[in-house]
Amino acid sequence: MYRGTTPQTLNKMELKLDQLSASNLTSIFNNAFIDAEIVKNTDFCAIKGEHTLLASALKDQNTIQFLNYNQLPDGMSEEDAKKLVSAVNSQIVVLKAYLTENSTGDNQLSMIFEYNHIVLNNETISPKTIVQIARFVEKAITATYPIYHELFSRA
């Protein structure tokens, strides 16, 4: 044993919420070999994985928010859309699903999945954890497929 030396610890990169700009989020995902880009004129990073996610650090709410927009099938009634949202919210508790009208003005509805990860004021989060959360959100979104099929694919 050598006196006067200390073992080196790995220098983990930890980030505070106010350091998570759209640019920094994009870099985190690109460095993890996940295609991501800044959404023009917003604070969002678009992550192109199994599902396209929008990620943003909401400093005033102490969260990293992940969103996924899905256009509902043509001809789906508002009643059926509400039934789907209700089923998703009751069965996939980590996601919040809600409806919104498309901005195209065609009265077509979209379903939005939302996941909020809390990062307390004095806490930090690693890039690795952020990537793991995005993958977790993608899996939760994929878990909604059987709910849709159970409700609407009756023979």
Side-chain angles (χ1 to χ4, degrees):
M1 176 184 236
Y2 296 98
R3 293 189 176 260
T5 62
T6 57
Q8 294 294 317
T9 57
L10 292 176
N11 185 10
K12 289 186 177 181
M13 185 158 124
E14 295 284 327
L15 302 165
K16 289 193 172 255
L17 196 61
D18 62 359
Q19 295 173 299
L20 295 176
S21 64
S23 177
N24 285 347
L25 285 169
T26 300
S27 294
I28 288 167
F29 287 100
N30 287 331
N31 288 338
F33 304 102
I34 299 171
D35 189 21
E37 62 186 30
I38 298 170
V39 179
K40 247 184 193 176
N41 302 321
T42 72
D43 292 328
F44 284 99
C45 161
I47 306 156
K48 298 172 184 153
E50 185 178 338
H51 302 282
T52 298
L53 300 176
L54 297 176
S56 181
L58 305 178
K59 293 146 190 87
D60 57 330
Q61 296 177 28
N62 292 337
T63 61
I64 302 172
Q65 183 178 71
F66 293 87
L67 300 171
N68 172 259
Y69 290 80
N70 295 279
Q71 184 165 334
L72 295 173
D74 288 339
M76 178 177 264
S77 69
E78 186 172 350
E79 180 183 329
D80 282 346
K82 287 179 180 178
K83 189 186 305 183
L84 177 59
V85 166
S86 177
V88 167
N89 283 333
S90 67
Q91 294 180 45
I92 311 291
V93 295
V94 296
L95 291 177
K96 175 168 176 33
Y98 53 93
L99 296 174
T100 187
E101 282 190 25
N102 291 346
S103 58
T104 57
D106 58 4
N107 291 331
Q108 190 70 10
L109 293 173
S110 289
M111 183 166 55
I112 299 173
F113 295 118
E114 179 181 312
Y115 176 80
N116 293 299
H117 184 82
I118 296 172
V119 180
L120 300 174
N121 285 336
N122 296 319
E123 297 293 318
T124 58
I125 189 165
S126 72
K128 179 180 177 182
T129 299
I130 293 169
V131 170
Q132 289 172 335
I133 293 166
R135 289 184 173 143
F136 169 78
V137 172
E138 287 182 326
K139 287 178 185 174
I141 292 166
T142 300
T144 67
Y145 294 174
I147 297 169
Y148 174 85
H149 290 291
E150 183 180 313
L151 288 173
F152 302 111
S153 295
R154 306 225 188 265

